[in-house]
Amino acid sequence: MAARLLAFEVADLCLGKPPLRALSVSATVGDALAALKAAEDNSVSVWNCDHSKRNLSASDEECVCIGKVCMVDIICYLCKEENLCSPALALKSPVSVLLSKVNGLVRHVEPSSSLLEAIDLILQGAQNLVVPIKSNNTGYSKRKQLLKSSLSSPMIHNGVQFCWLTQEDVIRFLLNSIGLFSTIPTLSIDALGIISPEFLAVGYHSPASSAIGAISRAVVDQTSMAVVDDYGTLIGEISPFALACCDETVAAAITTLSAGDLMAYIDCGGPPEEIVRVVEARLKERNLEGMLEEFVIESSSTILSSSSSDEELPSPTRTLSRSGRYSRSSSYSARMVRRAEAIVCHPRSSLVAVMIQAIAHRVNYIWVIEEDCSVVGIVTFANMLEVFREKLESMI
């Protein structure tokens, strides 16, 4: 059984994965924003070629994925001091300004690459592995593609499409074969020594704008930022996952609110009306009329009212979001989840329990706390993969 596990290739982990949607490096930040709102994924790949006009042939320059962008990248970019007065102008900037300066976050791999090779690349810092898959342009898929934004069409090079392979995909795969790893999955994360004591944090009363750098770092590390009180007690979190479920108007909230108020802004049901008024008032105080005019912020009461009055079919004049709802703002009411509530475990939690917990909540990390809610550290998928990598090595 162990030999069978080691025989798996990257292609085996990509079965059933949808083709990767892509943007050309010539696109703008505004193009990326539109593509993300129309996409089903949290991120869109960026390529060094213009794939939107035609299928590239073998004679063309080699087409390479040079990075990816997500909604959080756009939000953080709009929060930069030079973009606060004119977000409309910032949206016209080239999409390349959103790409991380960290090398190796996106790596191309062959479908025949081994499971161990994929894990090694992830442990070296890769967030997403780009894997070639056979193109499957059936009539149904073509019709479905017409409904998508033309700005982020499926990447096709020489008749081949591509897909993402993520840390979550590998963890899910290993979880399905968890019985092969003997007693390791039942050991506590403390006993395995995979709790990282270093983590990103911001004070509850600190300005949210002071944490923009940490939010960007959390995107790169695929972790989150803890919101703590003066005693180090975990109050909640501001995670890239939570912000990715919002839209660009969150930039106004980050610019004007404290970390604690931002948690309430992005939490279930959408931003409370009183917080929306605070954001608008503070934008006026700071003479950020451009941001005020560009971003029309809907409160939770407005969203709930509109969603109850027209819940039949989407109006053709409204922009469909990634999930087919009216917009990212209206998705607040449809996804009644505690976005700012941290997902936690304890040092005595078993490895398999933490794996299941992270996968169930679609996050790449779990906060580790003591009984008094003080933060011990954080456990990430990368930490878990180190354990499995060592075990797989011993099976060879």
Side-chain angles (χ1 to χ4, degrees):
M1 291 293 290
R4 182 170 176 269
L5 180 63
L6 290 170
F8 279 108
E9 299 177 344
V10 164
D12 298 314
L13 280 68
C14 295
L15 294 175
K17 292 187 72 67
L20 191 60
R21 304 193 70 79
L23 277 176
S24 167
V25 71
S26 62
T28 66
V29 175
D31 292 336
L33 178 61
L36 285 165
K37 287 186 173 182
E40 296 176 354
D41 296 327
N42 285 333
S43 61
V44 176
S45 60
V46 180
W47 295 68
N48 66 348
C49 47
D50 191 353
H51 58 276
S52 60
K53 296 180 181 179
R54 56 187 173 85
N55 287 352
L56 297 170
S57 66
S59 61
D60 289 306
E61 178 184 359
E62 183 182 8
C63 206
V64 177
C65 180
I66 58 176
K68 65 173 186 175
V69 296
C70 64
M71 183 62 71
V72 187
D73 295 319
I74 295 177
I75 292 170
C76 290
Y77 180 68
L78 293 175
C79 287
K80 288 187 174 183
E81 193 68 32
E82 61 269 25
N83 296 328
L84 294 179
C85 293
S86 183
L89 186 61
L91 293 176
K92 297 179 181 179
S93 302
V95 71
S96 58
V97 301
L98 302 177
L99 298 178
S100 174
K101 302 300 187 292
V102 179
N103 294 324
L105 294 181
V106 173
R107 300 283 293 272
H108 281 256
V109 297
E110 292 300 322
S112 58
S113 299
S114 69
L115 174 61
L116 279 177
E117 289 172 332
I119 293 176
D120 285 341
L121 287 174
I122 290 174
L123 293 180
Q124 291 169 17
Q127 287 185 0
N128 296 70
L129 303 181
V130 183
V131 187
I133 57 176
K134 290 183 179 179
S135 176
N136 184 26
N137 287 323
T138 63
Y140 169 77
S141 63
K142 286 182 178 179
R143 289 193 300 272
K144 191 173 182 180
Q145 288 171 18
L146 290 175
L147 300 177
K148 302 288 186 179
S149 170
S150 61
L151 294 169
S152 61
S153 57
M155 180 64 216
I156 303 176
H157 176 57
N158 200 22
V160 177
Q161 293 183 330
F162 300 83
C163 73
W164 284 138
L165 189 66
T166 66
Q167 293 183 11
E168 181 183 343
D169 294 325
V170 178
I171 289 291
R172 282 181 181 275
F173 182 81
L174 293 173
L175 185 60
N176 289 332
S177 305
I178 202 69
L180 299 178
F181 294 93
S182 186
T183 60
I184 288 179
T186 62
L187 296 177
S188 71
I189 55 176
D190 189 23
L192 291 169
I194 60 174
I195 303 174
S196 175
E198 297 182 0
F199 55 89
L200 301 169
V202 65
Y204 184 85
H205 299 289
S206 300
S209 58
S210 66
I212 293 174
I215 294 173
S216 296
R217 174 67 184 277
V219 174
V220 173
D221 294 343
Q222 294 193 311
T223 57
S224 182
M225 183 175 62
V227 179
V228 298
D229 64 11
D230 296 337
Y231 302 98
T233 301
L234 182 66
I235 305 299
E237 68 173 349
I238 299 173
S239 74
F241 170 78
L243 293 174
C245 294
C246 304
D247 61 19
E248 72 277 16
T249 62
V250 175
I254 294 176
T255 302
T256 56
L257 298 177
S258 67
D261 287 338
L262 179 62
M263 286 173 54
Y265 185 97
I266 64 177
D267 216 340
C268 62
E273 189 172 347
E274 59 271 21
I275 295 186
V276 171
R277 288 199 295 267
V278 169
V279 171
E280 292 174 345
R282 291 178 180 174
L283 288 175
K284 291 179 180 177
E285 288 175 5
R286 296 179 57 178
N287 294 320
L288 298 177
E289 300 294 341
M291 181 169 281
L292 190 61
E293 293 173 2
E294 184 72 19
F295 299 151
V296 178
I297 306 171
E298 294 183 79
S299 67
S300 56
S301 58
T302 303
I303 295 165
L304 290 172
S305 174
S306 63
S307 63
S308 62
S309 62
D310 47 26
E311 56 186 353
E312 295 88 5
L313 294 173
S315 166
T317 61
R318 295 190 177 186
T319 303
L320 286 174
S321 72
R322 66 175 63 175
S323 56
R325 300 185 182 95
Y326 297 147
S327 66
R328 282 178 177 260
S329 295
S330 61
S331 68
Y332 277 119
S333 60
R335 295 187 61 182
M336 298 292 278
V337 292
R338 298 282 304 191
R339 295 196 182 115
E341 184 176 349
I343 311 302
V344 301
C345 68
H346 298 280
R348 297 181 301 279
S349 299
S350 68
L351 173 60
V352 67
V354 175
M355 289 173 66
I356 294 172
Q357 192 177 9
I359 288 174
H361 290 280
R362 300 300 305 274
V363 292
N364 288 29
Y365 61 89
I366 298 289
W367 293 105
V368 186
I369 62 171
E370 295 286 8
E371 296 298 332
D372 61 357
C373 291
S374 59
V375 185
V376 176
I378 192 169
V379 175
T380 67
F381 279 163
N383 299 140
M384 301 176 197
L385 287 174
E386 290 177 357
V387 174
F388 288 109
R389 177 63 177 85
E390 183 177 347
K391 181 63 177 178
L392 287 170
E393 184 71 31
S394 68
M395 293 178 178
I396 299 177

